[in-house]
């Protein structure tokens, strides 16, 4: 038997029908409303390649050095060609087509009137279904092929394409890395009648973060792919399973996925204006979904993540998986560590995000903790958490060897070479630097409490002296205030975060600057990465791009970027990762080997950086863009490109041209710009016509350029104010213009982590907010609060 019907399958048939097939079979058997269909079994794939005699050639072709991009690309092409160009044996063809016709006839009870193709056959969905070997990480394995609205003429081709999806570059690379033998991996294909949904979405039968008895339903118009792929912001319905109360957030649903009547293809269409803000599901429909959710959860005995669709009020289940994101740490509220006096107030002694400490004098006085601990030094609390340990003064790189777990690094300024030691350390204190310095960004991302910009820590503190560091307030106290076993607690637990991850219409993303932080960033439950800075990947090479290329070649340079970006894109897949092209000022490059060739600039912040440098050195920029092209070839379709420091449409057109020349089709990829200069804010209307998908506020730079306040200059730090009316007016106008032109807006500067700015932005209608790792959860709550307020106001 080449195929098995869904009602013949149970969960135990995983090896034969793959995860998706087994789950659908199980649900069908439990009497749940699953559209009819069958599975082309994994054994059928196996006998297809063996009987055609292509198996040995196939496995030889993919036995390559996966780190060699050229061989990997060649291997994937050859393997996929072998499968897609080998004809079906007659008996197999007939068996699959006979099953297909049955789906279109008596099996077709998915809707009263089955959706028919031109030839009268049913429209079916064809999806790959990974088998046991790859299941733990099926998303990495690339077996994600899904074809919708398929009819008889393309069915067999689509089945072969699902088989070939075992051999995308990304899948081959992944198996090589994980040590999987290519010849032991199989794949099944689910063929199932399409539900021509008028509304659809996902449902979590318990809270996806906390496991609370709350059902969360997301719903949008048309086919569910728009919700699953993130193309649309869906409505959000939170239903208490204890008292049945419902909390509804209606989103603006700009697009929907529907079947094109003439071609049968799934296409993205604009939602008619009158339905954009219309609530998708009624109270009665919520009840049907909740009832279904309860049945499926009871059947499996654990919370489920369900994909559903509705046709004329009738509900269908398309998929159900256990929820894997319920986070144990979210259940623990705090750790019992007594915060140092004043630390409970998150604004006490915290900087405005730019430079100097607000109220230094008070901090000095109140920093003394009464009978325990005198304030030794103070600075900017740049990464929250309270820890104690022996101070270790690092004056040169050789000193890093003396850093053991539990030590507090005290140094003038951290450097990329220090990252391994920073990971070991329990805390970090620097003399120099502001909130966006290397030490501040890296420590925050590593979750290590830190204080920067103390000016004198390396001279005041003594080597080996035990200190307590309060990364919230920016104070270093004498002695140990925190018990050693408590010191190693992750920072999220030191600083209790709200326990529930709220669903929001405005997306909440996270900023990442070092690939080492990707896992921690992904665990926040953020909707993606709003800014991945690439500078730290280059700075850690310790050579300027030009020098590195001169010594190691262009391919090595591109590979460094591919590897750095890939590690983050993998961690978040399929959530989007917005990668910014290089933007390091010349004074940062000067510290590297080759830095002697950097131009000597009077004011590097106004100088040769960002897109200006890229468009001037297109020879180097091309190799950076080549990294993106390779990532797309590898299947990282979640990667987006963002250009920094553009001023006008001309800058954008030039960048776009470079993208095309590097073999990246701007029409097929998501790309956009940062709004960091007043000129870019004032010229956004022209920029919106260049084809950009998004504009993201870099408020660190936008503030310094609007107010003429150098973000690194302590003398004017008290004037650095991202909430200045001038800055807010520019931001508000850009959001309005972008909304008119259907360009998404976002923020990725420090200010996105501040509640006041979040309130302003949500009220203005920003599409997404990207925050620091430690701020994501609080920002999610703030966004939710403001959205609910807006909703209430709109109905009052
Ligand atoms: C910004 O300017 O706000 C920004 C996010 O970029 P960077 O801090 O890297 O200049
Ligand atoms: Mg910037």
């Amino acid at each position: 038997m080449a195929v098995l019907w869904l009602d013949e399958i149970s969960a135990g048939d995983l090896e034969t029908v793959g995860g998706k097939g087994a789950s659908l079979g199980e649900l069908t058997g439990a009497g749940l409303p699953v559209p009819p269909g069958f599975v082309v079994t994994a054994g059928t794939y196996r006998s297809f390649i063996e009987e055609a005699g292509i198996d040995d050639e196939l496995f030889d072709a993919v036995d390559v050095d996966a780190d060699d991009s050229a061989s990997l690309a060649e291997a994937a092409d050859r393997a996929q060609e072998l499968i897609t160009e080998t004809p079906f044996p007659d008996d197999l063809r007939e068996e699959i087509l006979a099953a297909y016709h049955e789906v279109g006839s008596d099996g077709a009870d998915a809707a009263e009137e089955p959706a028919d193709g031109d030839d009268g056959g049913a429209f079916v969905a064809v999806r790959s279904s990974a088998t046991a070997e790859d299941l733990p990480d099926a998303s990495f394995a690339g077996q994600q092929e899904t074809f919708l609205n398929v009819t008889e003429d393309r069915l067999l081709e689509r089945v072969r394409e699902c088989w070939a999806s075992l051999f995308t570059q990304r899948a081959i690379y992944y198996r090589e890395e994980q040590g999987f033998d290519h010849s032991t991996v199989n794949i099944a294909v689910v063929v199932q009648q399409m539900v021509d949904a008028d509304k659809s979405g996902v449902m979590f039968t318990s809270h996806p973060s906390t496991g609370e008895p709350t059902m969360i339903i997301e719903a949008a118009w048309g086919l569910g792919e728009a919700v699953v792929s993130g193309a649309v912001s869906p409505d959000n319905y939170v239903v208490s399973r204890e008292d049945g109360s419902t909390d509804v957030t209606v989103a603006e649903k700009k697009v929907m996925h529907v079947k094109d009547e003439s071609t049968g293809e799934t296409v993205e269409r604009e939602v008619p204006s009158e339905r954009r803000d219309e609530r998708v599901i009624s109270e009665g429909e919520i009840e049907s979904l909740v009832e279904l959710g309860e049945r499926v959860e009871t059947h499996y005995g654990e919370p489920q993540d369900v994909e559903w669709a509705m046709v004329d009020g009738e509900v269908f289940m398309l998929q159900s998986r256990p929820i894997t994101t319920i986070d144990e740490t979210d259940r623990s509220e705090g750790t019992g560590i007594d915060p140092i006096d004043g630390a409970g107030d998150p604004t006490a002694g915290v900087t405005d995000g730019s430079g100097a400490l607000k109220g230094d004098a008070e901090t000095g006085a109140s920093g003394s903790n009464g009978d325990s601990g005198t304030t030794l030094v103070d600075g900017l609390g740049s990464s929250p958490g309270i820890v104690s340990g022996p101070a270790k003064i690092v004056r040169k790189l050789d000193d890093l060897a003396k850093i053991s777990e539990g030590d507090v690094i005290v140094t003038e300024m951290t450097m990329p070479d220090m990252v391994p030691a920073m990971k070991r350390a329990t805390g970090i204190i620097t003399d120099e630097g502001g909130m966006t310095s290397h030490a501040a960004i890296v420590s925050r991302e590593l979750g290590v409490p830190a204080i920067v910009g103390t000016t004198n820590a390396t001279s005041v503190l003594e080597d080996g002296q035990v200190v307590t560091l309060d990364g919230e307030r920016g104070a270093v106290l004498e002695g140990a205030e925190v018990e050693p076993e408590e010191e190693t607690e992750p920072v999220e637990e030191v600083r209790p975060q709200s326990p529930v991850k709220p669903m929001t219409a405005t997306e909440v993303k996270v900023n990442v600057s070092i690939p080492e932080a990707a896992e921690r960033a992904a665990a926040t439950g953020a909707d993606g990465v709003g800014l991945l800075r690439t500078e730290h990947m280059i700075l850690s090479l310790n050579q300027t791009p030009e020098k590195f290329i001169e010594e190691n070649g262009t391919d090595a340079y591109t590979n460094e970027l591919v590897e750095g970006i890939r590690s983050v894109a993998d961690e978040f897949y399929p959530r989007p990762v917005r990668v910014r092209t290089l933007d390091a000022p010349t004074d940062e490059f000067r510290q590297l080997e080759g830095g002697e060739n950097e131009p000597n600039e009077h004011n590097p912040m106004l100088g040769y950086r960002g897109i200006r440098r890229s468009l001037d050195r297109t020879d180097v920029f091309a190799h950076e863009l080549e990294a993106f092209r390779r990532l797309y070839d590898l299947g990282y379709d979640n990667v987006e490109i963002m250009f920094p420091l553009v001023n006008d449409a001309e800058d954008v057109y030039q960048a776009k041209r470079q993208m095309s020349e590097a073999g990246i089709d701007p029409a097929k990829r998501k790309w956009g710009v940062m709004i960091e200069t007043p000129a870019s804010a004032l010229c956004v209307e022209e920029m919106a016509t260049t084809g950009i998908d998004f504009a993201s506020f870099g408020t660190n730079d936008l503030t310094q350029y609007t107010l003429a306040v150098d973000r690194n200059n302590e003398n004017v730090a008290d004037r650095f104010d991202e909430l200045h009316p001038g800055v807010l007016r520019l931001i508000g106008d850009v959001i309005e213009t972008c909304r008119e032109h259907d360009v998404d807006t976002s923020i990725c500067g420090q200010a996105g982590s501040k509640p006041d700015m979040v309130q302003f932005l949500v009220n203005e209608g920003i599409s997404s907010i990207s925050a620091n790792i430690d701020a994501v959860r609080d920002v999610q709550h703030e966004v939710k609060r403001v959205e609910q307020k807006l909703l209430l106001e709109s109905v009052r």
Side-chain angles (χ1 to χ4, degrees), residues 245-491:
S245 62
T246 311
D247 176 6
V248 183
T249 308
V250 178
E252 186 191 3
K253 298 158 290 289
K254 292 185 187 160
V255 294
M256 61 200 280
H257 286 190
V258 292
K259 183 177 64 188
D260 181 286
E261 287 308 328
S262 53
T263 63
E265 303 268 320
T266 302
V267 289
E268 188 169 292
R269 291 267 158 76
E270 286 201 355
V271 174
S273 55
E274 69 281 7
R275 294 182 73 203
R276 286 188 173 197
D277 297 320
E278 193 185 314
R279 172 177 167 155
V280 175
I281 48 176
S282 65
E283 289 297 326
E285 288 169 336
I286 292 178
E287 267 174 39
S288 312
L289 283 168
V290 168
E291 194 242 330
L292 193 66
E294 277 170 354
R295 277 170 68 196
V296 71
E297 186 173 300
T298 308
H299 179 75
Y300 281 112
E302 60 179 326
Q304 298 287 301
D305 165 0
V306 174
E307 276 176 44
W308 58 267
M310 268 186 211
V311 193
D312 295 335
E314 191 178 352
V315 190
F316 293 95
M317 290 192 56
L318 307 183
Q319 185 158 315
S320 183
R321 286 175 295 227
I323 299 177
T324 52
T325 55
I326 294 177
D327 181 356
E328 290 303 319
T329 61
D330 274 341
R331 293 181 186 173
S332 62
E333 290 218 35
T335 59
I337 298 175
D338 285 328
I340 297 174
D341 293 350
D345 172 9
T347 59
V350 176
T351 86
D352 59 4
S354 58
L357 200 65
K358 280 186 173 161
D360 285 359
E362 300 86 20
T363 309
S366 66
S368 163
N369 191 25
D371 47 14
S372 58
T374 309
T375 301
L376 298 171
V377 287
D378 52 43
L380 315 179
S382 57
S383 178
I386 302 162
V387 287
S388 300
K392 294 288 169 70
I393 316 286
V394 174
R395 299 193 195 278
K396 50 188 189 316
L397 287 178
D398 289 351
D399 294 341
L400 290 172
K402 66 183 179 189
I403 305 295
S404 323
E405 290 205 5
D407 288 345
V408 174
I409 294 181
V410 182
T411 188
E412 234 172 64
M413 187 57 203
T414 61
M415 291 184 280
D417 278 352
M418 293 186 182
V419 172
M422 290 169 80
K423 279 194 207 160
R424 286 199 297 279
T426 198
I428 296 161
I429 303 170
T430 68
D431 288 349
E432 298 171 1
M435 290 295 278
T436 54
S437 62
H438 180 267
I441 289 174
V442 172
S443 56
R444 223 164 21 232
E445 293 196 357
L446 293 176
V448 180
I451 298 174
V452 300
T454 60
T455 68
N456 57 2
T458 54
S459 42
V460 173
L461 304 180
E462 283 168 29
D463 207 49
Q465 179 181 15
V466 174
V467 295
T468 295
L469 175 168
D470 178 351
E472 188 88 53
R473 287 193 311 151
V476 182
L477 310 182
E478 194 173 12
E481 301 262 332
V482 181
E483 294 299 316
E485 65 273 17
E486 291 167 331
E487 292 167 21
T488 53
E489 293 289 343
V491 74

Side-chain angles (χ1 to χ4, degrees), residues 454-672:
T454 60
T455 68
N456 57 2
T458 54
S459 42
V460 173
L461 304 180
E462 283 168 29
D463 207 49
Q465 179 181 15
V466 174
V467 295
T468 295
L469 175 168
D470 178 351
E472 188 88 53
R473 287 193 311 151
V476 182
L477 310 182
E478 194 173 12
E481 301 262 332
V482 181
E483 294 299 316
E485 65 273 17
E486 291 167 331
E487 292 167 21
T488 53
E489 293 289 343
V491 74
E492 289 92 335
E493 299 189 359
V494 174
R495 178 195 194 204
Q497 297 218 4
S498 314
V500 182
K501 174 187 179 247
M503 297 289 203
T504 55
T506 312
E507 289 181 310
V508 179
K509 299 184 182 175
V510 62
N511 292 339
V512 178
S513 297
I514 52 169
E516 290 89 337
E519 194 181 339
R520 201 171 155 257
T524 59
D527 295 315
V529 175
L531 167 64
L532 171 58
R533 290 185 171 95
T534 47
E535 296 76 55
H536 296 268
M537 297 172 202
I538 300 299
L539 291 172
S540 65
L541 301 175
N542 240 327
Q543 292 182 322
T544 60
E546 290 82 358
K547 182 77 179 171
F548 187 83
I549 289 173
E550 186 188 309
E551 297 207 342
N552 306 283
T554 53
D555 211 42
Y557 179 65
T558 301
N559 270 339
E560 286 292 337
L561 287 165
V562 168
E563 289 312 317
I565 299 169
R566 166 149 66 190
S567 56
V568 182
D570 259 343
E571 206 61 65
F572 277 81
Y573 197 86
R575 289 178 277 173
V577 174
R578 196 163 280 179
V579 186
R580 181 176 74 183
T581 60
L582 206 55
D583 178 16
T586 48
D587 54 340
E588 282 188 24
F589 276 156
R590 191 184 315 287
Q591 302 160 13
L592 309 176
E593 206 188 314
E596 61 283 2
N597 298 327
E598 289 296 303
N600 224 323
E601 295 188 310
H602 188 59
N603 190 341
M605 277 299 180
L606 298 178
Y608 194 51
R609 54 173 289 211
I611 203 69
R612 307 163 179 195
R613 184 182 184 120
S614 300
L615 294 178
D616 186 57
R617 289 298 305 265
T618 48
D619 52 332
V620 180
F621 192 38
H623 303 301
E624 202 179 326
L625 292 172
E626 164 71 9
F628 287 93
R629 198 192 54 72
R630 280 196 208 161
L631 286 158
Y632 291 134
D633 288 349
L634 284 166
Y636 289 93
D637 49 12
N638 59 331
V639 167
E640 303 176 356
I641 307 178
M642 178 156 72
F643 297 116
L645 222 73
V646 297
N647 262 343
D648 46 42
E650 183 52 33
D651 278 344
V652 185
Y653 277 122
Q654 286 193 37
K656 186 177 178 186
R657 201 167 310 132
Q658 294 302 316
M659 211 162 51
S660 305
E661 278 178 21
I664 301 164
D665 183 350
K668 290 209 179 118
R669 303 296 171 190
K670 276 216 154 135
W671 64 284

